[in-house]
Amino acid sequence: MKIYTVGGAVRDQLLGLPVKDRDYVVVGATPDDMLRRGFRPVGKDFPVFLHPQTQEEYALARTERKTAPGYRGFVFHTAPDVTLEEDLVRRDLTINAIAQAEDGSLTDPFGGIADIQNKVFRHVSEAFGEDPVRILRLARFAARFHHFTVAPATMALMRQMVLDGEVDALVAERVWQEVAKGLMESRPSRMFTVLQECGALARILPELVLSAPLLQAIDRAAGAGHALCVRFAVLMLAVPVAQIHALSERLRVPNDCRELAVMAAREQAAVTGALALSAEELVRLCERCDGLRKPQRFEQMLQAIECDVQAREAAQETRAFPQAAWLQAMLAAVRGVDAGALALACAQEPKRIPAVIHAARVAAVTNAISSTELP
């Protein structure tokens, strides 16, 4: 029995990056061999075991055969006679098909080390074309390793996969999972340009129309370290609100991402024009966005719109976004009104309560406007 470190851990080590998770492949072993050594089985489709001390994953070397469309249509085979090379050939990219033995020696049957040095994404074999998730994974890797380019043959294969309808077999949850991971990488714009180049973007995100400012805005959100919901909201600022709802429903986007994206798209004009809004309009904006109960989400909306505005104004060197501080000050004034005390004072005339509270908020914002220096 031989154990090798494989995949991302070897790749990242060769790139000089921190290694977060390690995956292992075991050659020449059976499930009973693993159990006798104290490993705990966790795999359903193929034998994967957890190390008794470290809890890291160890998978028996395996081959696979495609039996149906999509990424679930595979039959896996494990046996002691499955070689390391046979296991590696089923992997997606050459840079992920390098194995390291326990003595530190490397097995690189497909030229992954050279592709790391040349910064190239290249598929290991034609088996890449059997799994549409690999298109999403490659695009996500492009967002992480943004200096890498896609080998022409690999791009051609991805285009053919799209034409063959493989991408249409992807399930919504997996699409969102990969898109969300890509959005959290350092250069998310690369994910979308790769998907567009191979034709997959129009199949999985037909509502999205890429533009230079949009791509710059997404990268700006990443550079600022904003949360996933903010990055998704930036991406959706170019999409009509009705289509945001449809896209979110189709991909089963989490509620926090969906709600922020809808709010940012709906309020974009109001926020960008906030310095000219009246006290009444400012209060209604704060109320409409539920800023009193959810000030953090209100701030995230401003972050998303700020990324978009700054990306569009980059050519003019206008980088400031005074609307953010202005609206935060106005929201603070609105939240400073003691609605409970006003409601108690109107206890004898409960129908007056909403109007009284609203008027007090408008008065508070009016005072804030007069006492706050316009940016």
Side-chain angles (χ1 to χ4, degrees), residues 71-128:
Y71 76 97
R72 290 177 171 171
F74 291 91
V75 171
F76 298 97
H77 168 70
T78 62
D81 60 353
V82 175
T83 67
L84 176 62
E85 288 75 12
E86 287 175 325
D87 181 272
L88 293 176
V89 76
R90 69 176 177 77
R91 296 177 183 271
D92 52 2
L93 302 173
T94 59
I95 64 172
N96 296 328
I98 308 168
Q100 184 174 43
E102 293 177 290
D103 64 2
S105 61
L106 297 174
T107 298
D108 177 28
F110 307 107
I113 294 175
D115 283 339
I116 286 176
Q117 293 170 343
N118 295 323
K119 296 181 171 55
V120 174
F121 296 124
R122 190 188 316 277
H123 63 288
V124 174
S125 71
E126 293 303 306
F128 182 101

Side-chain angles (χ1 to χ4, degrees), residues 34-220:
M34 302 298 286
L35 294 174
R36 280 195 294 270
R37 291 171 179 260
F39 285 79
R40 181 163 56 88
V42 294
K44 295 181 180 179
D45 297 327
F46 49 83
V48 176
F49 299 83
L50 295 182
H51 190 281
Q53 277 80 47
T54 67
Q55 303 303 306
E56 292 175 312
E57 289 191 355
Y58 288 68
L60 295 185
R62 65 189 186 268
T63 60
E64 62 186 30
R65 179 170 54 87
K66 190 170 178 65
T67 58
Y71 76 97
R72 290 177 171 171
F74 291 91
V75 171
F76 298 97
H77 168 70
T78 62
D81 60 353
V82 175
T83 67
L84 176 62
E85 288 75 12
E86 287 175 325
D87 181 272
L88 293 176
V89 76
R90 69 176 177 77
R91 296 177 183 271
D92 52 2
L93 302 173
T94 59
I95 64 172
N96 296 328
I98 308 168
Q100 184 174 43
E102 293 177 290
D103 64 2
S105 61
L106 297 174
T107 298
D108 177 28
F110 307 107
I113 294 175
D115 283 339
I116 286 176
Q117 293 170 343
N118 295 323
K119 296 181 171 55
V120 174
F121 296 124
R122 190 188 316 277
H123 63 288
V124 174
S125 71
E126 293 303 306
F128 182 101
E130 298 176 349
D131 185 356
V133 170
R134 290 179 168 180
I135 292 178
L136 298 176
R137 278 172 51 83
L138 189 153
R140 173 163 60 84
F141 283 137
R144 181 186 306 176
F145 307 117
H146 53 86
H147 296 303
F148 278 58
T149 59
V150 182
T154 302
M155 179 58 71
L157 178 56
M158 293 196 295
R159 287 173 179 153
Q160 189 60 51
M161 292 169 67
V162 174
L163 292 175
D164 291 343
E166 282 286 342
V167 172
D168 300 330
L170 288 167
V171 297
E173 292 89 347
R174 193 56 191 269
V175 172
W176 169 251
Q177 181 184 47
E178 294 296 330
V179 168
K181 287 179 179 179
L183 282 171
M184 294 307 294
E185 298 291 0
S186 61
R187 193 72 63 83
S189 63
R190 286 273 287 132
M191 172 174 63
F192 297 104
T193 55
V194 168
L195 290 174
Q196 183 178 58
E197 187 176 353
C198 72
L201 187 67
R203 306 297 272 270
I204 63 174
L205 292 171
E207 299 87 352
L208 190 61
V209 178
L210 299 187
S211 66
L214 175 61
L215 295 172
Q216 292 167 11
I218 300 168
D219 288 345
R220 186 175 289 274

Side-chain angles (χ1 to χ4, degrees), residues 59 221 287 317 356 367:
E287 292 174 339
E317 298 296 329
V356 168
N367 289 334

